[in-house]
């Protein structure tokens, strides 16, 4: 409990007797977050039986650090394949792997070719603190089209049977 046990939290309006029916409970992992848990009997409003209490918690909000990342969603994959072929041509042709050293060498060559291709072809994107990672260009285009359909349906709002209403509704479900 955040509030120590045995503290009177209620004064019955008729009898005037004190009671402690309520407790301020916290879980084990939030106990360390409690900075203040204190009753405020002097701040009790008129005609209420419970004393107000103040609970102050130390809540840290985590923010993403702005930076950059690779925008793999924006890649033209045909260009990526062409560049990867060009990068792989820098190394000797594939050969049978007979021991651990050959495996390690082939792995390093392939990794280097992929990394170089990513550097050359994949664009970078800024990461903002309030970035919606699930949002993409397709949704932006769909939102623009939906707004256009919505405005058209609004223009014909007096005509309930107009086709713009059905078109807007169908596209809204898709969006």
């Amino acid at each position: 409990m955040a509030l120590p046990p045995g503290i009177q939290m209620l004064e019955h309006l008729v009898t005037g007797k004190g009671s402690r029916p309520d407790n301020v409970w916290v879980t084990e992992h939030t106990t360390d977050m409690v900075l203040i848990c204190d009753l405020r009997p002097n701040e009790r409003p008129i005609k209420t039986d419970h004393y107000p209490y103040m609970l102050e918690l130390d809540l840290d909000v985590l923010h993403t650090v702005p930076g950059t990342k690779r925008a793999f969603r924006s890649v033209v994959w045909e260009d990526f394949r062409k560049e990867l072929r060009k990068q792989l041509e820098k190394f000797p042709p594939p050969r049978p792997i007979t021991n651990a050293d050959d495996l390690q060498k082939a792995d390093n060559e392939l990794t280097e070719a992929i990394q170089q291709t990513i550097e050359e072809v994949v664009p970078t994107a800024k990461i903002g603190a309030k970035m919606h990672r699930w949002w993409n260009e397709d949704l932006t285009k769909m939102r623009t089209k939906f707004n256009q359909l919505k405005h058209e349906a609004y223009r014909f709002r007096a005509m309930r049977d107009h086709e713009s209403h059905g078109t807007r509704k169908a596209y809204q479900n898709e969006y």
Side-chain angles (χ1 to χ4, degrees):
M1 285 191 300
L3 195 62
I7 294 181
Q8 178 179 323
M9 294 184 68
L10 179 139
E11 183 179 310
H12 196 275
L13 291 176
V14 176
T15 64
K17 289 185 180 180
S19 180
R20 49 184 173 79
D22 302 325
N23 292 307
V24 181
W25 297 93
V26 290
T27 59
E28 220 173 278
H29 75 281
T30 56
T31 304
D32 297 335
M33 295 162 107
V34 176
L35 299 176
I36 298 171
C37 185
D38 193 22
L39 281 179
R40 306 289 180 159
N42 299 344
E43 298 174 15
R44 185 172 83 174
I46 299 171
K47 295 290 186 185
T48 58
D49 54 0
H50 281 78
Y51 295 126
Y53 65 92
M54 184 171 102
L55 179 65
E56 187 175 322
L57 300 173
D58 179 24
L59 299 175
D60 290 329
V61 179
L62 300 175
H63 294 283
T64 56
V65 179
T68 59
K69 67 172 187 140
R70 293 289 175 179
F72 284 95
R73 289 183 177 185
S74 302
V75 172
V76 178
W77 290 104
E78 190 56 40
D79 295 345
F80 187 90
R81 285 186 207 91
K82 286 178 186 175
E83 181 65 27
L84 183 58
R85 282 188 198 101
K86 190 167 43 168
Q87 292 294 333
L88 288 171
E89 288 174 358
K90 295 179 181 178
F91 301 105
R95 59 204 170 278
I97 297 174
T98 57
N99 58 35
D101 291 335
D102 288 348
L103 177 64
Q104 188 66 37
K105 185 177 179 185
D107 179 50
N108 289 340
E109 290 172 353
L110 181 61
T111 302
E112 184 180 336
I114 293 172
Q115 291 296 332
Q116 285 296 327
T117 304
I118 289 172
E119 287 290 322
E120 295 291 325
V121 178
V122 180
T124 57
K126 293 179 183 176
I127 300 173
K130 298 179 181 178
M131 183 178 175
H132 299 291
R133 299 182 195 288
W134 49 268
W135 194 265
N136 59 29
E137 282 296 315
D138 294 337
L139 288 173
T140 301
K141 291 174 186 173
M142 288 178 79
R143 179 181 58 189
T144 303
K145 184 175 178 183
F146 174 70
N147 285 337
Q148 291 168 352
L149 292 172
K150 186 173 63 172
H151 292 303
E152 183 181 352
Y154 181 76
R155 275 199 315 260
F156 295 104
R157 64 187 178 273
M159 300 170 61
R160 299 264 184 225
D161 296 335
H162 195 269
E163 67 181 49
S164 63
H165 300 293
T167 306
R168 181 203 56 86
K169 182 71 173 173
Y171 199 77
Q172 178 180 349
N173 292 338
E174 182 183 335
Y175 172 59

